[in-house]
Amino acid sequence: MLLAGPVLAEPEAACQVPDGLVQADFAMPRVADAIAAKTLEIAVLGSASSALAGPAGAGKAYPGPLEAALKAALPGVTVTVSTFAKPKQSAAEMQAAIPAILADKKPALVIWQSGTADAIRGVDPEDFRIALEEGTEALQKGGADVMLMNMQFSPRTESMIAVNAYADAMRFVALQHSVNLFDRFAVMKHWNEAGIFDLTTVTKKMDMAERVHACFGKLLARLILDGVALTREERKANDRP
């Protein structure tokens, strides 16, 4: 879906979004503690849209730019972003992988990207919500902060795939469990409507997708660092060490 037309803005300007669209509403205490300990492990749990095709796809998809952005912002901290992405996975299928990820990587943060496969399959939105809720609870009990990421926006499939109920379910779970949401759908819709990225025209070239993912990485890093700053502010207000 990201194989769309040309970038219509300069690279740095292309990553800009309106104020408030990407911001931390909740603290990230486990990430803050990991940074203080100089080792930050992040796991990305998702589907095909968390990866890119081709031999360079693993490094160009957003987990790669995210890792690079955090390393640049956190000198002296060892940052590792591991990706657990499989095509066409539902939220329930991703949920089943959580215990192994927690045991293997012991991440301070899990970014959970979901929604599209469930919408395409026509999974009951309530079942989708339950899987997200139970998975989020398992991650938090396992010692990880959680960030949810919703589906991509595509003007070419918007009328064919009903995603609103799944986006609403994800927003509900984020609020109920005090976890941050990266609203990828709203970000991409803004880029398309503002003429920053042309997400309508189909092309087989990968440069467009790579630039979009590079922007995702930068925005995710900013959101994570905002969550860490919020943690520090809350601890200072509570006189916590």
Side-chain angles (χ1 to χ4, degrees), residues 59-73:
K60 298 290 187 178
Y62 70 80
L66 167 61
E67 181 176 286
L70 288 174
K71 285 181 176 178

Side-chain angles (χ1 to χ4, degrees), residues 25-26 148 170-179:
D25 296 313
F26 302 104
L148 299 179
M170 185 170 283
R171 192 172 295 109
F172 176 82
V173 172
L175 290 172
Q176 286 294 106
H177 292 274
S178 300
V179 302

Side-chain angles (χ1 to χ4, degrees), residues 91-171:
E93 290 166 339
M94 295 181 198
Q95 179 194 355
I98 286 173
I101 293 172
L102 288 173
D104 182 34
K105 294 296 181 179
K106 297 179 176 59
L109 171 66
V110 174
I111 301 173
W112 190 354
Q113 170 264 308
S114 190
T116 303
D118 292 81
I120 292 173
R121 292 187 189 184
V123 171
D124 188 321
E126 180 64 9
D127 291 338
F128 172 73
R129 183 194 65 77
I130 291 171
L132 273 183
E133 192 159 45
E134 292 179 349
T136 297
E137 289 174 354
L139 289 168
Q140 291 178 320
K141 289 178 181 177
D145 288 332
V146 182
M147 182 191 298
L148 299 179
M149 178 191 297
N150 61 14
M151 59 288 298
Q152 298 182 105
F153 167 79
S154 170
R156 292 180 285 110
T157 61
E158 188 178 20
S159 62
M160 296 182 286
I161 305 174
V163 300
N164 289 340
Y166 303 92
D168 289 344
M170 185 170 283
R171 192 172 295 109

